[in-house]
Amino acid sequence: MSLRQYLTSRVFFLQLLAAAAIIAIIGYLFMHWLTFTTDHGHEIAVPNLSKLTEEQVEQKLDELDLDYVLLDSVDYRSEFPKYSVVEQDPLPGTKVKVGRKIYIKINASGFSSVKIPDLIEKTYREAVPTLKALGLELGTITYIPNLGKDMVLEMRLKGRNLKVGDRVLKASKIDLVLGDGKASYVDESQSDSTATAPAETPNDEQ
């Protein structure tokens, strides 16, 4: 068989296809091996960034070849320093690749203020969820004589009476004065007779 006949034969084309398939398989396996060996052993454990300032975060992540993105500030939390990390994603200890971005949220500089809602003549059960929804805390509960049992009669902050619309800092403890449900109205006739009773005493003595 001449070279020209061989190059145009079916055998040659089958061998050519087989060689191409082998080369493709070897190339795939090589790339897969290269990717595996390059990434293997290069995962980094995300450090705990809690309570660190943004500058400290940047320095710490630079040392680990990681990056960060500041998402937002959150409402002030007293257990964290001002402008320090409150939340992070991924969480500490998570294994990530080099260059991964860590998303952080920073603590605000202080409590924001909220308006005191109208709780007067609301029940205790209605008042508590309203306070908590505004970021306020329930303080001391005091009862005074009043027909409205567990009805809010006064709102106080550190002994000062609060009015609806007054502004206080979030996390403030609001004291509530409630009715005990035990008060009763006194008959006017009874009060009149009680008032005149002492005046009749001298007549009896005569």
Side-chain angles (χ1 to χ4, degrees), residues 1-165:
M1 179 182 295
S2 65
L3 179 59
R4 183 176 181 179
Q5 290 176 329
Y6 174 75
L7 293 177
T8 57
S9 66
R10 182 180 178 184
V11 174
F12 173 76
F13 283 110
L14 291 175
Q15 290 176 341
L16 187 62
L17 289 173
I22 292 172
I23 293 173
I25 292 172
I26 292 175
Y28 172 79
L29 293 175
F30 176 77
M31 293 301 297
H32 185 71
W33 173 82
L34 186 63
T35 302
F36 177 80
T37 54
T38 301
D39 293 342
H40 182 67
H42 286 74
E43 289 188 332
I44 303 169
V46 176
N48 186 1
L49 305 176
S50 179
K51 299 184 178 181
L52 298 183
T53 64
E54 188 175 354
E55 291 77 12
Q56 292 172 326
V57 167
E58 184 174 6
Q59 180 180 358
K60 191 165 191 175
L61 294 183
D62 279 347
E63 295 172 355
L64 299 173
D65 292 325
L66 298 174
D67 199 0
Y68 78 96
V69 175
L70 175 59
L71 293 179
D72 198 2
S73 62
V74 299
D75 286 341
Y76 180 71
R77 301 183 188 178
S78 58
E79 65 270 26
F80 290 88
K82 296 178 181 179
Y83 304 115
S84 68
V85 175
V86 175
E87 300 176 13
Q88 69 177 85
D89 180 36
L91 296 174
T94 304
K95 298 290 186 179
V96 298
K97 301 293 177 62
V98 172
R100 172 67 184 271
K101 292 181 178 179
I102 311 301
Y103 298 91
I104 61 174
K105 291 185 178 181
I106 298 292
N107 198 22
S109 60
F111 289 115
S112 56
S113 65
V114 294
K115 288 184 178 181
I116 289 294
D118 186 3
L119 301 180
I120 302 301
E121 296 187 355
K122 303 289 186 182
T123 65
Y124 172 80
R125 289 189 176 183
E126 292 174 320
V128 172
T130 303
L131 291 175
K132 291 184 176 179
L134 293 172
L136 300 172
E137 297 181 12
L138 179 64
T140 304
I141 300 298
T142 305
Y143 287 92
I144 62 175
N146 189 277
L147 285 176
K149 182 173 175 57
D150 291 330
M151 185 174 68
V152 178
L153 304 176
E154 295 178 22
M155 300 174 288
R156 297 175 181 172
L157 175 63
K158 297 179 180 179
R160 174 174 64 91
N161 280 0
L162 296 172
K163 301 187 298 294
V164 176

Side-chain angles (χ1 to χ4, degrees), residues 170-189:
K170 277 189 176 182
S172 296
K173 290 186 176 181
I174 307 302
D175 302 328
L176 298 180
V177 178
L178 308 179
D180 61 6
K182 296 179 181 179
S184 58
Y185 293 111
V186 179
D187 243 357
E188 291 183 1
S189 59

